[in-house]
Amino acid sequence: MSLKSRLQKLRQKFVENDIDAIFISQPENRYYLSGFDGSSGYLLITWQDTTLATDFRYTEQAKKQAPDYDIFQIRGDIAEWFPQLTGRSGLSKLGFEAGHMTFALHQKLTDALNRAKSKIKLIPLDRLVESLRVIKEPEEIESITKAVAISDAALEHIKSRIQTGMSEKEIAWEIERFMREQGSQAIPFDIIVASGSNSALPHARPSQRQIRTGEPVIIDIGARVDGYSSDLSRTICLGTGDDTFSRVYDTVLQAQLAAIAATRQGMTGEEADGLARKVIEQAGYGEAFGHSLGHGVGLAPHESPRLGSGSSEHLTDSMVFTIEPGIYLSDWGGVRIEDTVVMESGKTRVISKATK
Ligand code: ZN
């Protein structure tokens, strides 16, 4: 992990955001900037210093995982230690993560600073660290590739086992067990196994419903390696599907392949989304593709960039994101096909290898 260059890039953003330090509370950002993955802790990054504030339970772990950081052991309520932590370095403009810090915590910190007669002003920041995380380093792409390989293997595994009469829950558990045994950390999001009419719900929860022949089964899974996620969806059918299945499946596949082939560096998220949406609209299913084409994947299973209408984010090299069009028909079911891709030399390279 190239922490030094990440910190350097972060500090370059201090000037344009008019801050002289940043307080990090968001867990993935904290891990990204320090390597510390304990479940509780904060970072204070100034021009000169890096401090990791955590409690007694994690101080030893913090020293090991974040050797470049000074460890500040916190005791009691944040209102007590926050003025001490921030009062040591002569700060005046302290950025905080407005998308993560709660209103209640912000009020508490403001009160605590006032009581301590601190001159520090809290400055809200909008996804500053996230804007660094969107560009993946080679090591990050390597970790994502490992996670993708596990979800690919899990999909092949379940395809060899799945039978009519198995419940969605049984299948989801078998996939989860397999991925954990193959080296996945705790899985990044709940597995979706949605069969028959349940598959018309893009984010259905696995139920006791038993799989029947001839119906669509959407399987949406992700593994996690070194903190990094994968995200993979396939739609399968035991036996032979009806005419709707082949028509809908072909349309989704053509839309997905079109987007994979034509997404280019410099396009906005909305333009990439449009590549797949056009194919689905032309087949008459425009209304049935009710979600975005894709999203970034990294330390969070859903992060920037967003590929969807209204997204003006420009796609660039070293971004990793999903391409996952779908069609959902309420009285029938749905089909979604999703791969994780990386943008390289201005084009997409598909990381996932699971058959479609
Ligand atoms: Zn996804």
Side-chain angles (χ1 to χ4, degrees):
M1 207 192 286
S2 34
L3 282 185
K4 284 212 164 63
S5 73
R6 292 179 190 174
L7 289 168
Q8 201 179 355
K9 283 181 191 142
L10 181 72
R11 285 177 172 132
Q12 283 164 6
K13 304 243 174 191
F14 281 12
V15 179
E16 60 191 87
N17 287 281
D18 195 24
I19 54 172
D20 46 28
I22 182 167
F23 182 69
I24 301 289
S25 57
Q26 206 280 338
E28 279 106 17
N29 292 343
R30 181 186 67 211
Y31 176 69
Y32 182 77
L33 294 170
S34 73
F36 171 65
D37 68 359
S39 57
S40 169
Y42 304 88
L43 306 181
L44 178 69
I45 298 163
T46 69
W47 281 107
Q48 297 84 23
D49 305 313
T50 47
T51 308
L52 196 166
T54 189
D55 65 75
F56 176 75
R57 295 170 297 168
Y58 297 106
T59 46
E60 286 307 311
Q61 181 186 347
K63 280 179 203 160
K64 282 204 190 82
Q65 291 184 327
D68 297 342
Y69 276 72
D70 298 325
I71 308 301
F72 177 94
Q73 189 174 322
I74 59 186
R75 277 190 195 85
D77 194 78
I78 193 165
E80 288 162 41
W81 57 260
F82 186 74
Q84 283 175 32
L85 170 71
T86 54
R88 303 181 304 169
S89 335
L91 306 176
S92 58
K93 288 174 281 186
L94 176 60
F96 71 94
E97 302 181 284
H100 182 258
M101 186 179 287
T102 62
F103 183 60
L105 181 57
H106 182 265
Q107 280 191 313
K108 202 178 207 180
L109 298 183
T110 308
D111 290 349
L113 291 173
N114 287 340
R115 268 201 307 279
K117 302 205 170 16
S118 168
K119 61 182 172 67
I120 294 175
K121 264 178 58 185
L122 294 175
I123 316 282
L125 300 171
D126 180 26
R127 290 172 293 173
L128 198 61
V129 184
E130 285 80 351
S131 72
L132 304 179
R133 278 172 43 197
V134 70
I135 303 297
K136 266 65 180 180
E137 297 154 7
E139 300 94 306
E140 296 184 283
I141 295 173
E142 221 171 276
S143 299
I144 293 169
T145 303
K146 288 181 190 159
V148 166
I150 293 175
S151 46
D152 282 349
L155 203 101
E156 295 312 318
H157 170 76
I158 204 64
K159 277 164 75 177
S160 71
R161 293 233 166 171
I162 194 167
Q163 292 175 8
T164 52
M166 278 173 93
S167 74
E168 295 170 347
K169 276 191 171 171
E170 266 179 89
I171 294 165
W173 176 243
E174 178 60 22
I175 293 170
E176 179 163 352
R177 187 188 64 76
F178 180 89
M179 291 199 295
R180 293 301 304 264
E181 286 178 3
Q182 296 293 309
S184 173
Q185 296 167 307
I187 55 171
F189 57 88
D190 287 341
I191 288 171
I192 297 172
V193 177
S195 61
S197 53
N198 285 351
S199 63
L201 311 169
H203 273 188
R205 282 190 183 282
S207 72
Q208 298 293 0
R209 187 182 187 286
Q210 295 180 336
I211 310 291
R212 299 172 206 155
T213 50
E215 62 182 17
V217 183
I218 294 180
I219 299 175
D220 187 344
I221 63 178
R224 194 192 283 275
V225 173
D226 308 327
Y228 290 84
S229 298
S230 60
D231 198 353
L232 172 75
S233 301
R234 288 291 183 266
T235 305
I236 60 174
C237 175
L238 299 181
T240 332
D242 58 11
D243 290 348
T244 307
F245 184 80
S246 37
R247 197 167 50 230
V248 169
Y249 192 93
D250 285 347
T251 306
V252 173
L253 183 58
Q254 291 319 312
Q256 202 228 10
L257 295 175
I260 287 171
T263 299
R264 289 285 180 274
Q265 161 139 278
M267 279 183 175
T268 63
E270 173 160 315
E271 285 166 338
D273 176 271
L275 298 169
R277 199 162 297 280
K278 195 172 75 184
V279 176
I280 291 176
E281 278 168 2
Q282 279 167 358
Y285 292 114
E287 294 288 300
F289 176 21
H291 59 69
S292 300
L293 177 64
H295 54 83
V297 177
L299 290 172
H302 293 93
E303 55 180 51
S304 288
R306 190 173 70 81
L307 282 67
S309 67
S311 171
S312 55
E313 289 174 276
H314 287 273
L315 302 175
T316 63
D317 273 358
S318 304
M319 286 185 176
V320 175
F321 49 89
T322 65
I323 296 194
E324 49 176 314
I327 292 177
Y328 310 91
L329 305 173
S330 56
D331 49 348
W332 178 79
V335 170
R336 176 166 67 256
I337 304 174
E338 170 182 32
D339 284 302
T340 301
V341 309
V342 56
M343 183 154 273
E344 281 176 356
S345 314
K347 296 187 290 200
T348 62
R349 175 172 67 79
V350 181
I351 305 175
S352 20
K353 305 243 182 321
T355 49
K356 300 186 219 188

